Amino acid sequence: MDAYTSFAAVYDLFMDNIPYAQWCAYVTGLLRSHGVKNGLVLDLGCGTGSLTQLLAAEGYDMIGVDNSDEMLQIAVEKRADTDYDILYLLQDMRDFELYGTVAAAVSICDSMNYILEYDDLVTVFRLVNNYLDPSGIFIFDLNTVYKYETLLGESTIAENREESSFIWDNYYDNESRINEYDLTLFIQEEGSLYRRYDETHYQRAYTLEEVKAAIRESGMEFVTAYDAFTEEPPFDQSERIYVIARECGK
């Protein structure tokens, strides 16, 4: 089963521990510190549009791209309850197309880790570079090798809610640096009836040096990297890092 099909229906429910408002404040601060105070911003891997809408509330004109039709349907439903004119596009980030350039692009909540091949990562970066305004900024986050090796790998996460529950088994391969998530969902349908769904997700851990190399290969310029939600450089036990790259010619 494709990632984020059944899970899309309850994604926001199980992600209610994510402090999106704080994440938005951090991303907005990074955007503004690099001169992007308004204009078009692309949200790659936008999912159900939680961050996309918060960035729209900060005054940015938002475009959201995701390859899950189910997730985008929820994003569109959420948009209907607002005054935001967000454009959502059902596209794979490895071959997305826009109608013009954007002032900045963001990709949050480890969407880049879903790119399993280094060459595909370069392709994504090259496309971002192509659609950025001159000297435009790309901000994205990544789960680190440390997080997969130490915190996620060979672990099980389970959560039980009244209307749904899930079991999330993680398996990390040190050689390939691929983390496999086997997700079992139980979603309430009628009365006491729960239907079971199974999904498998894969993510890859990249070192910062690999990310820098991919940025250079794509034609962009590496600007800096931070330990998540700080302005400090990454360190050995960073669990998530933010990377900032700049458009550097087409």
Side-chain angles (χ1 to χ4, degrees), residues 173-215:
D173 183 81
N174 284 286
E175 184 174 348
S176 64
R177 282 189 264 128
I178 298 292
N179 194 88
E180 176 182 332
Y181 303 88
D182 290 331
L183 179 63
T184 302
L185 297 160
F186 298 91
I187 301 176
Q188 187 175 19
E189 294 192 342
E190 295 181 6
S192 59
L193 175 64
Y194 288 76
R195 187 174 299 277
R196 172 175 170 165
Y197 298 89
D198 294 288
E199 297 189 4
T200 299
H201 299 228
Y202 297 94
Q203 290 188 336
R204 176 175 172 178
Y206 290 95
T207 66
L208 181 55
E209 290 309 311
E210 287 176 317
V211 173
K212 289 180 179 180
I215 288 171

Side-chain angles (χ1 to χ4, degrees), residues 37-54:
K37 299 180 180 179
N38 51 45
L40 271 173
V41 173
L42 169 66
D43 186 0
L44 271 180
C46 65
T48 63
S50 295
L51 182 71
T52 323
Q53 287 196 178
L54 289 172

